[in-house]
Every structure is written in C-alpha cells, then in structure tokens.
Amino acid sequence: QVQLVESGGGLVQAGGSLTLSCAASGSIISIGTMAWYRQAPGKQRELVASITSGGNTNYADSVKGRFTISRDNAKRLLFLQMNSLKPEDTANYYCNANVRPGSGYYGSPYWGKGTLVTVSS
C-alpha cells in the first residue's frame, strides 16, 4: 500500500553536487519524520539527516554544511541536496519515513530500496 521510492543517485566527481528525491505513494493519511540513511559496503547503516513534519532538521556531523534535507508535504516528497561531495560519501542512500497509512491509525516506519551515489576522485 505504502511505498517509498528514491531517485537521483548516480556518479559524480568529488566536489560536485547531486539531489536525491524520495516519493511517498499509496494510501497515506500523514507522514511524520522523514530521514535519509546511507550504507557503504562493509559499513553499518548511518543516519545522514532527518526532518520533522514541521521542518526541524538534524544532520550527521560528517555532512553538516554540505547537505540540506527538505520536504514538500503537499507532494509527499523528501529531498537531499548534496554539495561538495567527497569520495567517502559513496554509499547506498535510503529514504525512511514514519507513515500513517490509510488502513490504520498508527504510524510506522517505512523504507525505500535505496539509490546508489558514487563519488569519484
């Protein structure tokens, strides 16, 4: 019923920029906090940035000043603007959201399947 689909990943040179998008679709009543996570090969998944339904944001220290998370509540979209990319940013980026589906009252976490970002030097 509820799906999160990421897009925008690709290959970029160090110092370049990419914008990731996450589209929430299906029968949805409301969406709470949304977040971007990433996981590099051989490493654990880590929180990159989060944003509440009211627009309050939080960033991992490693991306502060370079990444910007935003959302369009009306369109049910989540974005991650990534600037000054570094090779260490290379990872699969996953969209996460707390979603209240149309089939129920309580919200629960949903995950996208990820989009690959590769930063070359």
Side-chain angles (χ1 to χ4, degrees):
Q1 275 289 311
V2 177
Q3 301 90 38
L4 300 178
V5 180
E6 303 95 336
S7 62
L11 175 64
V12 65
Q13 291 184 319
S17 299
L18 278 178
T19 299
L20 305 183
S21 299
C22 172
S25 63
S27 182
I28 297 171
I29 299 299
S30 62
I31 303 175
T33 297
M34 304 183 79
W36 288 99
Y37 287 76
R38 67 185 181 187
Q39 186 169 27
K43 297 183 179 180
Q44 64 186 96
R45 186 172 297 187
E46 63 176 345
L47 176 66
V48 177
S50 65
I51 182 168
T52 68
S53 60
N56 190 48
T57 59
N58 186 53
Y59 296 91
D61 288 341
S62 60
V63 306
K64 284 182 178 178
R66 298 189 299 121
F67 291 9
T68 302
I69 189 171
S70 62
R71 62 192 288 171
D72 185 329
N73 291 331
K75 297 182 178 180
R76 295 174 176 173
L77 293 174
L78 176 71
F79 303 98
L80 185 67
Q81 177 65 51
M82 304 184 294
N83 299 321
S84 302
L85 283 162
K86 304 174 181 179
E88 50 262 46
D89 294 319
T90 295
N92 279 299
Y93 284 72
Y94 298 89
C95 177
N96 169 264
N98 230 46
V99 178
R100 179 188 171 188
S103 60
Y105 176 80
Y106 300 101
S108 60
Y110 287 80
W111 291 89
K113 294 183 178 180
T115 185
L116 179 63
V117 172
T118 303
V119 184
S120 64
S121 59

